[in-house]
Amino acid sequence: MTTARKPLGRHHRIVIKIGSALLVDRASGLKKEWLDAICDDIAALKANGADVQVVSSGAIALGRTVLGLPSGALKLEESQAAAAVGQIALARAWSESLSKHNIIAGQILLTLSDTEERRRYLNARATINQLLNIGAIPIINENDTVATTEIRYGDNDRLAARVATMTGADLLVLLSDIDGLYTAPPHLDPDARFLDTIAEITPEIEAMAGGAASELSRGGMRTKIDAGKIATAAGCGMIIASGKTLHPLRAIENGTRSSWFVPSGTPITARKTWIAGQLQPAGELHVDAGAERALYAGKSLLPAGVKLVKGNFGRGDAVAIIGSEGREIARGLAGYDADEARQINGHKSNEIEAILGYVGRAAMIHRDDLVMTGASVKVKNAEKDDVDA
């Protein structure tokens, strides 16, 4: 797979994420001129043959201006009320702007569980694909009217990455109030260096992530790097670019400065894409160096290599695998619940029956249910994509 950028118009399926601060002004509300301009850009991409999806922030920010809520942090119920009001206004604005190009907008509201639970993940994907098949533009947002702190994404960067992988997009564009990735937060470090191309997301790249830059935005560079890990592992390239100017997509086409994250040359299969993108693992399995080497070699995780079990998970739940240096190296679907895992960790597979009283699985996590997520890992597997993926 080539590492070089190509024009936006040469991509088959594009997900565009738009930050709240780009769409909504705290004092005056919706930035109608900006919205009309980006809809011009989207129409041009669609006319060139690309499928386009939009993950649009702004419901809470717009709702709070309509309701006249004060600045500062909102209580949960205030955020949900603002979202309920703002989502109607936001959807109407997108529909009106796109209709000038004879494009129909379809609204999709997702919660974390819609992409974490396999069946709901497939259903959401089918709906989005059908909208694209009939020529509509899906306008996607988190369903902030019902989501709580415990069951939410909390940012649209990672939601956009999940949508991109879910629908087989080959490009994710994150538009925000910063023009790309720097070696340090540029507003804090005058010597921060801009990075044009990121070949892979290493621990050093992750360390460069700063915090949120705007009150209206809940994301920051940290969530953008998380989004990049999800997207690039699935073979989807990612661009971080400033959306402050009118026609930001046209500006990217014309060569404005932005950061390009190179997609993996060995993208993981569809089912493993879902596993890797799980945002809230139910627990952790800490492994020794020998088990870590075996996992990198494409082997299953055996109980003997597990040193510590954390969390309260059930069989089939997604868990994070923590390597010998204390960093996540993989994710997988647990073959045992947490209590059983604690009983057999550190033991050989032929001891499982004597410990648990029944013949269990030899592996704590089978290699078919496991995907490497650590930095600079090239996932190796020869299986074919799932039929239902």
Side-chain angles (χ1 to χ4, degrees), residues 18-358:
I18 297 167
S20 297
L22 301 179
L23 265 176
V24 182
D25 181 85
R26 185 167 55 190
S28 59
L30 182 73
K31 298 179 181 179
K32 186 69 166 59
E33 183 183 11
W34 188 92
L35 179 59
D36 286 342
I38 197 169
C39 285
D40 291 345
D41 294 352
I42 290 170
L45 288 175
K46 193 173 185 302
N48 205 40
D51 289 338
V52 181
Q53 305 165 73
V54 176
V55 175
S56 175
S57 303
I60 293 177
L62 185 56
R64 72 186 296 165
T65 64
V66 173
L67 294 173
L69 297 175
S71 61
L74 297 176
K75 298 176 182 178
L76 174 61
E77 59 270 22
E78 290 175 328
S79 293
Q80 291 173 326
V85 172
Q87 197 61 60
I88 292 175
L90 187 64
R92 181 173 63 246
W94 276 107
S95 180
E96 290 176 352
S97 289
L98 286 171
S99 68
K100 297 175 183 177
H101 302 276
N102 295 316
I103 297 173
I104 296 172
Q107 184 184 54
I108 303 284
L109 297 179
L110 297 175
T111 61
L112 179 63
S113 58
D114 290 326
T115 56
E116 296 282 270
E117 296 177 13
R118 181 66 173 166
R119 184 175 296 276
R120 294 170 72 172
Y121 171 96
L122 294 172
N123 287 340
R125 186 180 68 175
T127 300
I128 294 171
N129 282 338
Q130 182 59 27
L131 285 170
L132 294 172
N133 289 340
I134 61 178
I137 300 285
I139 307 297
I140 302 161
N141 197 359
E142 182 162 19
N143 193 348
D144 290 304
T145 59
V146 298
T148 63
T149 302
E150 295 78 15
I151 59 168
R152 67 176 308 151
Y153 281 92
D155 68 88
N156 272 352
D157 294 321
R158 292 180 298 172
L159 173 59
R162 294 291 273 142
V163 169
T165 60
M166 181 168 64
T167 59
D170 56 342
L171 179 65
L172 169 62
V173 179
L174 302 182
L175 295 178
S176 67
D177 41 17
I178 190 167
D179 57 2
L181 178 65
Y182 290 76
T183 53
H187 62 290
L188 300 177
D189 185 352
D191 296 323
R193 183 168 49 87
F194 180 81
L195 299 179
D196 177 84
T197 301
I198 295 88
E200 60 181 343
I201 300 175
T202 63
E204 292 73 24
I205 293 295
E206 293 186 68
M208 296 173 187
S214 166
E215 177 188 310
L216 293 178
S217 172
R218 291 181 306 217
M221 193 54 68
R222 171 74 268 170
T223 62
K224 290 172 176 55
I225 295 300
D226 289 343
K229 291 170 67 176
I230 295 170
T232 57
C236 176
M238 187 177 85
I239 291 173
I240 298 176
S242 172
K244 288 183 176 180
T245 62
L246 296 180
H247 301 287
L249 300 178
R250 183 189 302 172
I252 295 173
E253 285 282 60
N254 292 336
T256 191
R257 188 160 76 169
S258 60
S259 291
W260 162 245
F261 290 73
V262 178
S264 170
T266 53
I268 55 183
T269 63
R271 183 168 180 270
K272 290 193 174 187
T273 296
W274 170 70
I275 295 172
Q278 293 277 315
L279 299 180
Q280 295 183 332
E284 295 179 355
L285 301 179
H286 292 244
V287 302
D288 59 29
E292 188 170 347
R293 287 192 297 271
L295 294 178
Y296 282 129
K299 306 294 185 181
S300 297
L301 176 60
L302 302 181
V306 179
K307 300 187 301 180
L308 177 66
V309 177
K310 290 186 176 181
N312 182 24
F313 53 86
R315 176 182 161 192
D317 286 345
V319 294
I321 301 172
I322 310 300
S324 55
E325 295 183 358
R327 298 184 69 256
E328 179 184 313
I329 60 170
R331 292 192 183 185
L333 304 182
Y336 291 92
D337 63 31
D339 290 339
E340 291 177 330
R342 289 188 179 94
Q343 294 179 59
I344 64 175
N345 74 281
H347 292 273
K348 295 181 178 179
S349 298
N350 58 14
E351 301 177 61
I352 293 176
E353 183 177 6
I355 296 171
L356 298 181
Y358 69 92

Side-chain angles (χ1 to χ4, degrees), residues 1-13:
M1 180 179 293
T2 180
T3 61
R5 296 197 197 203
K6 60 184 180 181
L8 298 188
R10 289 181 56 195
H11 287 274
H12 166 67
R13 182 165 287 186

